[in-house]
Amino acid sequence: MARIVVIGAGLGAMAAAARLAVAGHRVTVYEQGATYGGAVGRFARDGFAFDTGPGLLHLPAVYRDLFVKTGKEPLEECVALTQVDPAARHVFADGTRVDLPNASRAGTVAALDAALGAGAGERWGDFLTRAREAWDRTRRPLLEEPQPADPAPLAREPYPAPKAGLLRRPTRTLAQVGARELRDPRLAALLDAYAWAYGFDPADAPASAAVLPYMEQTFGSWYVAGGLRALADAVYERCRKRRVEFVFDTPVVDVLEKDGRAVGVRLDGGGEVAADHVVSGAPVPALYRDQVVEWERGEDWPRHQVLGTGRVTVCLALRGAREADAVHRTVVHAEGDRPTVTVLRPDDPALRPDADHESVTVTATVRTTPGQEWEAFADRMVEAAGQAVPGLRDRLLWRHVRTPEDVRRDTGAAEVPGPALAGSDGRLLPAANRSPLPGLYFAGGWSHPGGGLAHAGMSGALVAGLIVEGADFRGSQ
């Protein structure tokens, strides 16, 4: 049995802790904050409650596998999952609206043809066929296997763009895919919205980001009753049942090293905890920025994503009941200086004081540049959300704005890591699970496979596998 210290109590770190505890190791989690969940947070006031991180779950099979591998109760006995249908309503700048069904390619093609004109659905369907090729080429190395020692093959673009003319530059970005292959500004905006939702600027995102709409439209979107925070609650309880120990309000300020290997951690206040392995779920750049892991030169840092984007979340407490035909998710596309926003309106009694009120969450991706006027930006977000919520201004009781600075305070990084993407010369690959320091492993959204709620859970599985299978193992007797 090995002594294992886990830094941080995000979803990926807790997934690793649960799997390691089941394997017979003694696991202690040290969290700098007062609660678990990391970016999967909750804001509550006056009987209203809001998810401050992701609001929908994709690839629930990842958490089904976690619960099967760590206990007797399957995921569905711990949380209630329902498919969101329609998956999303899209409101374009010209006023066109389209409802896209959940996990139905034929239904999506028909809906786009009906709303945008004959041929629109076929062009989108042909694009998804090419996106599937990119998915098939990258799914295993990006999501299911440890990152290879030489990730150079993953730096090459896997998206099979149609061949261009001799004088046309090759298709390298998602924005170019939209302009050249979809040939309708509304379809291009639809594609762009998937990139923005995951923190990518479509003008910079590689063509391989086509896997994002493919993944959602193939595997569906799911809502967890009580909000995504209920999933964090369930993973935390699973850890507790596996006798994982949690210590909150206790920052780790240093990873202890001896003979070129991690041997424990130093806590804020000076206490030291010995360990055979250290698993960090904290943001990789924050570990090095704050010298929790010592380094002398910038090149000592492991490669990690740098997106330069964060999220603004506006929680809206509304008077009046949610209308019967309201949809769960609406994407209102950018117009003028108004950003693209995602409006979530879950029909969930757990999130509102009574049936005569409603909780609404509005999110937008922004560049994390200093000096932003967040309240003015939130005003534009709420204005856009008015196209998804009838009578929004008159119904508004109060709002709460959560900025990238708030995310940095709670998680250590203002950026929200995106899913791992191939291509783009490898700059969107997250850090490998094995760190440059033997005995220290990376888990969570900033590490392989990286980004997204489901991907963080897979990262925890990969880390646990590396340790359990005996990689660099020195267990206590």
Side-chain angles (χ1 to χ4, degrees):
M1 178 176 69
R3 300 164 300 176
I4 299 176
V5 163
V6 177
I7 303 173
L11 266 292
M14 289 198 294
R19 288 176 179 268
L20 288 166
V22 165
H25 303 301
R26 189 165 72 247
V27 184
T28 303
V29 178
Y30 292 92
E31 164 59 44
Q32 67 173 352
T35 188
Y36 50 85
V40 183
R42 169 64 54 89
F43 175 76
R45 172 182 159 189
D46 301 338
F48 295 89
F50 309 85
D51 281 324
T52 58
L56 292 173
L57 178 63
H58 308 291
L59 298 179
V62 173
Y63 286 92
R64 291 191 179 107
D65 182 66
L66 171 66
F67 277 72
V68 165
K69 300 289 178 57
T70 59
K72 296 180 179 179
E73 305 88 359
L75 176 65
E76 277 79 356
E77 287 188 13
C78 301
V79 296
L81 289 175
T82 56
Q83 283 193 301
V84 176
D85 203 6
R89 171 174 293 164
H90 288 265
V91 181
F92 297 103
D94 66 354
T96 305
R97 296 177 175 234
V98 59
D99 288 356
L100 299 183
N102 197 336
S104 171
R105 178 167 172 172
T108 296
V109 168
L112 290 172
D113 274 341
L116 308 185
E122 181 180 4
R123 290 195 298 277
W124 184 261
D126 290 343
F127 155 72
L128 286 183
T129 297
R130 293 185 289 275
R132 178 178 179 173
E133 281 195 51
W135 170 263
D136 289 342
R137 292 172 180 176
T138 60
R139 175 179 57 87
R140 289 185 63 84
L142 284 184
L143 301 181
E144 298 176 5
E145 301 170 344
Q147 194 175 96
D150 178 14
L154 292 174
R156 294 193 288 269
E157 177 56 63
Y159 178 76
K163 292 185 178 181
L166 292 176
L167 300 180
R168 179 182 286 183
R169 294 180 179 178
T171 303
R172 298 190 184 278
T173 69
L174 198 67
Q176 290 174 335
V177 171
R180 296 176 180 179
E181 300 177 26
L182 299 179
R183 303 191 306 279
D184 183 313
R186 295 165 298 184
L187 285 179
L190 173 62
L191 179 58
D192 289 352
Y194 284 98
W196 285 118
Y198 287 93
F200 299 108
D201 183 336
D204 299 326
S208 64
V211 300
L212 302 176
Y214 172 80
M215 179 183 69
E216 284 201 22
Q217 294 190 13
T218 301
F219 303 109
S221 301
W222 302 75
Y223 179 68
V224 179
L228 258 292
R229 180 64 185 181
L231 178 61
D233 294 340
V235 175
Y236 172 73
E237 289 303 324
R238 178 53 52 92
C239 286
R240 295 289 294 165
K241 287 182 178 180
R242 301 284 78 81
R243 299 185 179 180
V244 174
E245 181 180 356
F246 285 82
V247 183
F248 295 106
D249 295 314
T250 306
V252 171
V253 297
D254 193 15
V255 173
L256 303 177
E257 180 180 345
K258 182 179 180 181
D259 299 329
R261 191 180 190 283
V263 294
V265 298
R266 180 176 293 111
L267 308 177
D268 189 25
E272 295 185 356
V273 180
D276 300 299
H277 303 279
V278 177
V279 177
S280 176
V284 171
L287 287 175
Y288 285 79
R289 179 195 67 213
D290 299 337
Q291 293 244 333
V292 176
V293 180
E294 293 186 5
W295 55 277
E296 295 181 0
R297 302 172 304 278
E299 55 265 30
D300 294 338
W301 289 33
R303 181 198 64 251
H304 60 84
Q305 281 190 352
V306 179
L307 296 185
T309 59
R311 294 202 181 103
V312 178
T313 301
V314 184
C315 305
L316 303 177
L318 305 184
R319 65 170 63 88
R322 179 182 187 271
E323 65 271 20
D325 60 349
V327 299
H328 189 114
R329 174 171 57 169
T330 301
V331 179
V332 182
H333 293 264
E335 180 181 8
D337 64 347
R338 287 192 336 216
T340 295
V341 300
T342 298
V343 183
L344 296 182
R345 305 180 64 192
D347 186 11
D348 190 341
L351 305 184
R352 59 190 183 228
D354 54 51
D356 294 323
H357 294 84
E358 183 183 5
S359 298
V360 174
T361 306
V362 187
T363 58
T365 298
V366 295
R367 287 288 179 186
T368 51
T369 52
Q372 286 268 21
E373 294 292 336
W374 294 120
E375 288 298 328
F377 187 80
D379 287 341
R380 297 195 293 275
M381 290 174 62
V382 174
E383 181 184 357
Q387 297 194 53
V389 185
L392 174 59
R393 286 289 184 184
D394 293 335
R395 297 177 59 195
L396 184 61
L397 292 171
W398 51 261
R399 77 184 192 190
H400 171 76
V401 180
R402 181 174 170 83
T403 72
E405 280 84 0
D406 297 318
V407 177
R408 182 195 297 275
R409 179 197 65 222
D410 293 343
T411 68
E415 292 189 11
V416 178
L421 292 180
S424 199
D425 297 324
R427 67 180 178 86
L428 296 179
L429 296 177
N433 299 114
R434 284 192 180 94
S435 83
L437 178 64
L440 172 66
Y441 299 84
F442 297 143
W446 287 91
S447 63
H448 183 77
L453 185 67
H455 297 169
M458 286 186 276
S459 178
L462 288 166
V463 168
L466 288 173
I467 296 176
V468 169
E469 290 170 11
D472 190 33
F473 181 76
R474 297 181 187 179
S476 300
Q477 300 300 319

